[in-house]
Amino acid sequence: MNLHGLRLFHAIVRYGGVTRAAEELNISQPAVSAQVKKFERELGIQLFVSEGRRLVLTDAGAQLKEYAERLFMLEQDVENFVKDMREGKKGLIRLTATYLPSNFLLPGWIAKFKQMHEDVELVVSTTNTRMAFDQLLRYEAEIAIYGGSGITHHGVHWDELFEDEMWFVVHPDHPYAQREVDLADMVAEPFIMREEGSVTRERLVSLCTTNNLAAPRIALQFNGLNETISAVKAGYGANFISSLVVKEDVREGRLARVFVRGVHLRNTIAVCTRAGEVLSPAAQHLVQFIRQEASQVNEAHSG
């Protein structure tokens, strides 16, 4: 099929004649007439008949007109789709996140982003640090939102957003509530933590190892962040966690801090992507938006 000939045929029909079609396409009138006659010969079908100075579609020409309109409408749809993808107005973003940002940051950020980019599809999975990086490097996700110690990982590019403090927290009636204690006393308490693979749990264990202390006793283990906090609020055990998660609970008296001598650890919130790769336009817009939102969180958290 000679698509150029079909396009000229369609232009003649659309603009009502050879003269107007030639003007619109910026081609000479004789060239348009010659190309359409050639197109008819190639098809072996007569598309127009002359009625005086007018060209009138044959039955075959009328049917071909319907196909041509559908084809060029589809072509326009494809062009619009490519333009939207190129500009980041459409696309699919697969995002993985660790529990901290997934529970306390991403829902609000993504809701705002979707209000501005309704046609961008987002698929979000929540997992621990180890699995988040596995998904990123296995191309199961384009972006990973990380909350933890700022560990390095081969093949991953880090874009740090902000930092917050790591706190030890207990129920307000706990003997250590609002007190300053030694690390040895603190880690002798039963802890409620996330599963192995959680970077926060690994940091607590590492803290004990660095200080020549026995590993903390994980008395209860949950696969969710909120569950660990709820158990401490119910009156059992201690937790080691990002202040971003529990700041409001501490302020309103549902939890209490324990100040551990010599321990001042911080938590990194970061956007992670595969090193050396260019994000899709939609993903670039999302990362830029997350940076803006994170800067506001950082300002509020610092205040």
Side-chain angles (χ1 to χ4, degrees), residues 109 112 161-162 289-303:
W109 292 351
K112 289 182 182 179
L161 300 174
F162 62 90
F289 178 80
I290 286 175
R291 285 198 198 105
Q292 295 170 354
E293 291 297 304
S295 67
Q296 296 177 21
V297 173
N298 190 29
E299 290 174 7
H301 195 59
S302 300

Side-chain angles (χ1 to χ4, degrees), residues 16-267:
V18 173
T19 302
R20 179 75 188 282
E23 291 173 355
E24 292 292 335
L25 298 175
N26 198 25
I27 304 173
S28 70
Q29 183 175 331
V32 172
S33 297
Q35 287 293 322
V36 170
K37 290 184 184 301
K38 178 183 176 184
F39 183 55
E40 287 182 311
R41 288 196 301 272
E42 290 173 351
L43 295 179
I45 299 173
Q46 185 175 6
L47 302 176
F48 295 104
V49 292
S50 298
E51 287 188 357
R53 300 182 63 182
R54 293 177 58 245
L55 285 178
V56 179
L57 286 170
T58 63
D59 288 341
Q63 292 182 57
L64 183 61
K65 166 181 171 288
E66 299 296 327
Y67 284 113
E69 286 178 346
R70 286 157 55 187
L71 175 63
F72 294 128
M73 283 179 64
L74 181 59
E75 179 187 48
Q76 186 62 53
D77 288 344
V78 171
E79 289 178 356
N80 291 339
F81 168 77
V82 171
K83 179 174 180 290
D84 287 344
M85 291 289 288
R86 187 171 57 242
E87 295 176 355
K89 295 178 181 177
K90 287 186 178 180
L92 169 63
I93 305 172
R94 296 189 183 277
L95 185 151
T96 185
T98 58
Y99 286 88
L100 170 60
S102 186
N103 281 275
F104 295 91
L105 297 171
L106 276 180
W109 292 351
I110 288 177
K112 289 182 182 179
F113 181 80
K114 283 291 290 182
Q115 288 172 7
M116 297 182 290
H117 302 85
E118 183 62 35
D119 292 329
V120 174
E121 185 180 356
L122 281 142
V123 178
V124 182
S125 63
T126 302
T127 187
N128 60 43
T129 300
R130 190 180 304 162
M131 287 300 299
F133 287 125
D134 284 348
Q135 289 178 13
L136 184 66
L137 295 173
R138 288 199 304 258
Y139 289 80
E140 295 171 6
E142 190 172 7
I143 301 169
I145 309 298
Y146 167 82
S149 62
I151 58 174
T152 58
H153 201 296
H154 181 70
V156 174
H157 171 74
W158 289 78
D159 184 1
E160 186 174 315
L161 300 174
F162 62 90
E163 289 186 327
D164 69 325
E165 294 180 307
M166 296 297 295
W167 287 358
F168 288 94
V169 293
V170 293
H171 188 272
D173 294 334
H174 192 282
Y176 291 166
Q178 302 301 326
R179 286 183 54 196
E180 185 178 45
V181 302
D182 291 329
L183 179 61
D185 293 327
M186 186 71 246
V187 298
E189 293 295 304
F191 273 79
I192 303 172
M193 299 294 290
R194 291 246 324 283
E195 77 285 358
E196 292 185 9
S198 159
V199 71
T200 302
R201 176 169 171 166
E202 291 175 355
R203 290 183 78 185
L204 180 59
V205 172
S206 177
L207 182 63
C208 293
T209 302
T210 302
N211 288 272
N212 296 315
L213 297 172
R217 180 166 65 92
I218 309 301
L220 282 175
Q221 174 180 301
F222 290 97
N223 288 340
L225 193 61
N226 288 312
E227 292 88 339
T228 67
I229 296 302
S230 296
V232 178
K233 287 180 186 176
Y236 179 75
N239 203 328
F240 179 62
I241 197 164
S242 164
S243 61
L244 188 66
V245 178
V246 294
K247 199 169 190 178
E248 185 176 342
D249 286 322
V250 169
R251 184 171 56 245
E252 297 184 2
R254 292 185 290 268
L255 289 171
R257 286 189 67 184
V258 182
F259 301 92
V260 178
R261 295 183 185 95
V263 177
H264 304 286
L265 296 179
R266 301 189 69 81
N267 201 50

